[in-house]
Structures are given as structure tokens and as C-alpha cells.
Amino acid sequence: MIKNALEGYFKKLNVFFENEFGSLPTVSYTDRLNKKLVVSEPDEDYEVEWQPKEQAEIISWNDVEEKIGVTLCEELKNYYSAYSFLMMAGEYKNAYLDFTPIDATESVVKTIEKAHRDGNFYFPNKQVLLIGGAEIGNNDDYFIFYDNETGKVFCLDDDTKKEVSLADSLEMVIAEMEAGI
């Protein structure tokens, strides 16, 4: 289940930050951050510690699907409704992945709508959502996409049109990704 994969990843992220920085995970502070996730005051570099929380927003999937014109698969629904988080990044296979935060500065529904709209920009008339950015082979021009019809996760460099397949499910990527920054 994707919720278990997220829990496992967040444990790895906490260990990574504790080992590297002696703290919980940190992000740059802005007034727009979801304060429910922030667990410290800004430090001298204006960084704050944070922790993920189980998703509190009740999502009306019928309303979301009606608005975007797509029936979302269960994996995506579970992904967007499991946790609120400010950062999810790290190494997976030969790629550095940086996922779009959920419920960090805007509602979950807005995040989903933006992911669908941005995915549609790159893949018109397909059920593809843009869910993050990536660096592959020292090229940080890649975006992470999720194909709602197949469940496949892949990256695309729009300039070169090079696609890199990551996995057959988002759960697999999150479960196997090593935490990092």
C-alpha cells in the first residue's frame, strides 16, 4: 500500500537529516507553509524543521474528477489522501527525484488540479499528471510524470523529448527511493 511506502520513506528522511544535520527534515520558511507541518521556529538561515502528518483534508473525489475530467486511479487517490508533506526527494535507481509537496502551501485539490493541468500541457488528451522534477545523468531538465491509465511513473526531458521509465507504480518508486536533498 502506498501509505506504507510513504511512512517508510519519511522514516528514511528523518534518519538522513539526523545523520547529516542533527535535525528533523528542514525546508526554507515562508509564510505560506502549512503551519501544521512545521515543528520549529526559523533558524538563522530561515530554515524550519517539519514532519509529515496524515492527510486531514477531506477530498471529494467526485468533485475533483468532474473538474479535471478524469477518473483518478486508486493509487493516485491513496497518494494524495495519505500524507501532507513539505518535501519528498532522493535517489531512485540512477535518478534524483524531487516530488511536488502535498498540502504544503495550497490545498490538496489545487495540487491535484495543477498536476493534471501541467501533465496535460506536456501530454495533451492523455491522463498524465506532472508530480515532480528529476535529475538524470547530470541533466536536471526532467519532470516526473504519472500515467493515470497504466500506473507507470516516468521522466521526460521536454527539450530532448527523452523519456526514462522509472517503475510500474508510484508505490514502488517511493518504497525503494533513498532519502536525500
Side-chain angles (χ1 to χ4, degrees), residues 59-77:
I59 300 167
S60 169
W61 291 111
N62 289 338
D63 291 348
V64 170
E65 293 169 340
E66 188 175 306
K67 189 162 189 171
I68 66 175
V70 169
T71 300
L72 294 174
C73 67
E74 285 305 306
E75 184 174 58
L76 266 188
K77 288 179 182 179

Side-chain angles (χ1 to χ4, degrees), residues 8-21:
Y9 169 79
F10 292 130
K11 285 178 185 170
K12 290 188 263 187
L13 186 66
N14 281 343
V15 168
F16 172 82
F17 267 85
E18 180 61 37
N19 290 341
E20 292 293 317
F21 307 106

Side-chain angles (χ1 to χ4, degrees), residues 5 12 91-93 167 170-179:
K12 290 188 263 187
E91 298 285 332
Y92 177 77
K93 295 188 178 175
L170 186 55
E171 178 182 357
M172 183 183 303
V173 173
I174 295 168
E176 295 179 10
M177 184 169 69
E178 290 304 320

Side-chain angles (χ1 to χ4, degrees), residues 143-162:
F143 293 108
I144 308 168
F145 293 95
Y146 182 89
D147 187 326
N148 184 59
E149 293 179 293
T150 65
K152 292 187 185 301
V153 181
F154 65 96
C155 294
L156 170 74
D157 177 340
D158 190 50
D159 293 334
T160 65
K161 303 301 182 207
K162 181 175 181 185

Side-chain angles (χ1 to χ4, degrees), residues 45-136:
D45 298 322
Y46 233 59
E47 295 278 313
V48 290
E49 293 181 31
W50 68 276
Q51 286 289 274
K53 291 219 182 302
E54 286 195 32
Q55 185 57 253
E57 188 173 334
I58 303 301
I59 300 167
S60 169
W61 291 111
N62 289 338
D63 291 348
V64 170
E65 293 169 340
E66 188 175 306
K67 189 162 189 171
I68 66 175
V70 169
T71 300
L72 294 174
C73 67
E74 285 305 306
E75 184 174 58
L76 266 188
K77 288 179 182 179
N78 291 334
Y79 173 67
Y80 281 112
S81 63
Y83 278 93
S84 298
F85 60 87
L86 301 182
M87 182 189 103
M88 185 166 68
E91 298 285 332
Y92 177 77
K93 295 188 178 175
N94 295 320
Y96 171 79
L97 307 178
D98 187 5
F99 287 86
T100 303
I102 295 177
D103 196 28
T105 59
E106 62 188 2
S107 74
V108 178
V109 171
K110 292 273 187 230
T111 301
I112 296 167
E113 290 171 359
K114 185 174 186 312
H116 177 262
R117 183 179 63 246
D118 292 348
N120 212 300
F121 175 82
Y122 292 99
F123 296 95
N125 305 314
K126 298 213 177 196
Q127 293 186 26
V128 175
L129 286 78
L130 192 157
I131 59 173
E135 181 179 323
I136 301 172

